[in-house]
Amino acid sequence: MSAEILLEVEDLWVTYWSRSLFGLDRKPFHAVKGASLTIRRGETLGLVGESGSGKSSIANAVLGLVPAGSGAIRFGGTDLTSMGTRYSPDIRSQIQAVFQDPYSSLNPSMTVEDLVTEPLRVHTKMDRSERRARAAELLKLVSLSEEHLGRHPHQFSGGQRQRIAIASALALEPKLIVLDEPVSALDVSTQNQIINLLYERRDAMGVAYLLIAHDLALVHHISDRIAVMYLGHVVEEGPSDRVYHSPAHPYTRALLDAVPLLDPEAQRQRRAARKAAPAHETPRVSATACPYKNRCPHAMPRCHAEMPPSYPVDGGGTAACFLLDETTSSKASPALDGAAQ
Ligand SMILES: Nc1ncnc2c1ncn2[C@@H]1O[C@H](COP(=O)(O)OP(=O)(O)OP(=O)(O)O)[C@@H](O)[C@H]1O
Ligand SMILES: [Mg+2]
């Protein structure tokens, strides 16, 4: 029997508002447009999609770092959307995060001991020596040692810094860790080591992951399920093996065919250009066409006129593509045969 649902994101919209020079003319930009996702206890959901598709916006909404414009985010049955960006300490302790850049996400003036024990200081009544003992234990879990406690982040490699970030995220034994591209900044062999570490910790501690990455092949190894985003929409979702070996949406197929392209410079520039996003009610706008229609080799007139609903896919999960509508096309399967090996 499947485990209980831990995180439920339902029809989530995340909107950023741009401001003109004098702040009069405000324009909404919808980064997430009605996305739905589910993570069960102890499960890993891989969230993939090209740069700018809205992955971090979903992650940040789940973490309460950006407001949900509309829709619902439920965690263990608690409605997080009603808390806005002010989660209760209990929820904060149960949802932890590890971000992409191990060079900027760790405060350089803090020691490893401070970094790893920070969540314990905020959320528990442990005294300093108890926290120190726990930090030493946590460092062992991520293959670092007690001797590292007094050092500062700049004395470590990128991979080691991610280990420190993971140790800190594990400190409170959270139920969910949001991992936003935890290995993108690392070289390939270090990536594998960190993925293996995450794998091992998950199995030992029963923690669930929302794992964001560009590389579907990498996500496939560790995820139970995979969700694929395109322009703010979840276009496909399903069991990891099914999505990887038999993708149903043409965009997932394109992602698998392409060598994952991460242009760090373009990503940096776009992120630098962003402005702070104040909380505002998001107007609900229904899409009137498939978001992938202009790039899709199978686009039909219908794809320009209607937003495809999510259709069930053989082998599990769903895909939002009219090729799966039996009344539209009998060519759906042959067109998408021969998926990634
Ligand atoms: N604070 C912000 N203000 C304005 N626009 C934003 C903000 N944050 C993100 N965006 C825009 O929202 C869209 C989705 O961004 P998001 O960071 O969620 O994508 P992503 O899939 O995580 O991309 P990446 O792979 O580059 O991290 C992008 O077009 C981005 O420029
Ligand atoms: Mg991102």
Side-chain angles (χ1 to χ4, degrees):
M1 212 186 82
S2 9
E4 189 187 324
I5 289 177
L6 178 68
L7 178 79
E8 210 176 357
V9 173
E10 197 183 328
D11 198 15
L12 176 72
W13 286 69
V14 176
T15 300
Y16 302 106
W17 292 81
S18 66
R19 258 173 290 201
S20 67
L21 200 55
F22 302 106
L24 296 172
D25 182 24
R26 292 160 48 77
K27 291 202 182 105
F29 175 77
H30 304 292
V32 179
K33 305 172 181 174
S36 297
L37 302 168
T38 300
I39 303 183
R40 294 177 182 277
R41 277 186 200 275
E43 189 178 69
T44 297
L45 177 73
L47 184 59
V48 297
E50 65 197 29
S51 194
S53 56
K55 305 178 300 293
S56 297
S57 297
I58 293 195
N60 292 339
V62 168
L63 291 166
L65 300 175
V66 300
S70 75
I73 303 175
R74 284 182 288 271
F75 179 75
T78 306
D79 175 23
L80 300 187
T81 21
S82 63
M83 296 185 198
T85 53
R86 292 171 185 272
Y87 287 180
S88 63
D90 178 42
I91 296 291
R92 287 215 179 279
S93 68
Q94 292 184 51
I95 309 180
Q96 297 288 313
V98 174
F99 296 103
Q100 175 178 358
D101 187 357
Y103 294 90
S104 66
S105 61
L106 299 178
N107 184 337
S109 64
M110 288 167 83
T111 62
V112 170
E113 179 176 348
D114 296 337
L115 290 162
V116 175
T117 57
E118 172 83 357
L120 300 171
R121 197 178 54 72
V122 175
H123 292 280
T124 72
K125 293 198 170 75
M126 285 183 181
D127 65 26
R128 188 140 198 259
S129 67
E130 288 169 324
R131 293 200 302 265
R132 191 187 168 90
R134 175 77 177 131
E137 253 172 54
L138 286 160
L139 285 188
K140 275 192 208 123
L141 293 182
V142 298
S143 304
L144 291 174
S145 82
E146 195 170 349
E147 292 149 34
H148 294 126
L149 283 172
R151 299 196 195 161
H152 291 269
H154 72 266
Q155 295 172 280
F156 294 90
S157 67
Q160 287 174 319
R161 289 180 206 211
Q162 278 312 51
R163 290 178 190 273
I164 296 166
I166 292 166
S168 172
L170 291 170
L172 297 166
E173 303 191 354
K175 294 203 174 86
L176 175 68
I177 304 183
V178 174
L179 300 147
D180 192 349
E181 298 196 44
V183 299
S184 304
L186 308 174
D187 63 70
V188 174
S189 75
T190 314
Q191 288 191 348
N192 291 335
Q193 291 166 13
I194 297 292
I195 290 292
N196 287 341
L197 168 68
L198 291 169
Y199 205 100
E200 181 194 296
R201 284 297 97 214
R202 179 194 63 185
D203 287 355
M205 297 168 83
V207 58
Y209 294 148
L210 172 58
L211 173 64
I212 295 176
H214 282 83
D215 184 349
L216 227 162
L218 182 140
V219 172
H220 165 238
H221 288 300
I222 183 172
S223 301
D224 299 296
R225 301 183 75 82
I226 293 177
V228 181
M229 286 196 79
Y230 185 74
L231 287 183
H233 297 270
V234 174
V235 294
E236 177 159 10
E237 182 279 330
S240 178
D241 280 342
R242 202 282 293 152
V243 174
Y244 188 68
H245 294 293
S246 315
H249 197 287
Y251 176 63
T252 313
R253 176 76 192 280
L255 258 189
L256 279 162
D257 287 346
V259 180
L261 277 181
L262 175 60
D263 179 346
E265 187 47 39
Q267 196 179 42
R268 239 190 322 274
Q269 283 177 9
R270 196 184 44 260
R271 286 172 177 171
R274 285 170 198 161
K275 301 220 169 84
H280 263 275
E281 190 73 29
T282 307
R284 287 281 301 272
V285 190
S286 299
T288 52
C290 172
Y292 193 55
K293 61 184 186 307
N294 295 333
R295 279 170 64 181
C296 183
H298 312 283
M300 303 172 263
R302 192 179 179 190
C303 308
H304 292 264
E306 286 172 67
M307 170 76 187
S310 287
Y311 293 99
V313 178
D314 282 350
T318 59
C321 177
F322 286 127
L323 289 172
L324 292 157
D325 183 348
E326 282 160 14
T327 63
T328 311
S329 170
S330 53
K331 299 185 300 229
S333 306
L336 293 178
D337 264 359
Q341 298 307 307

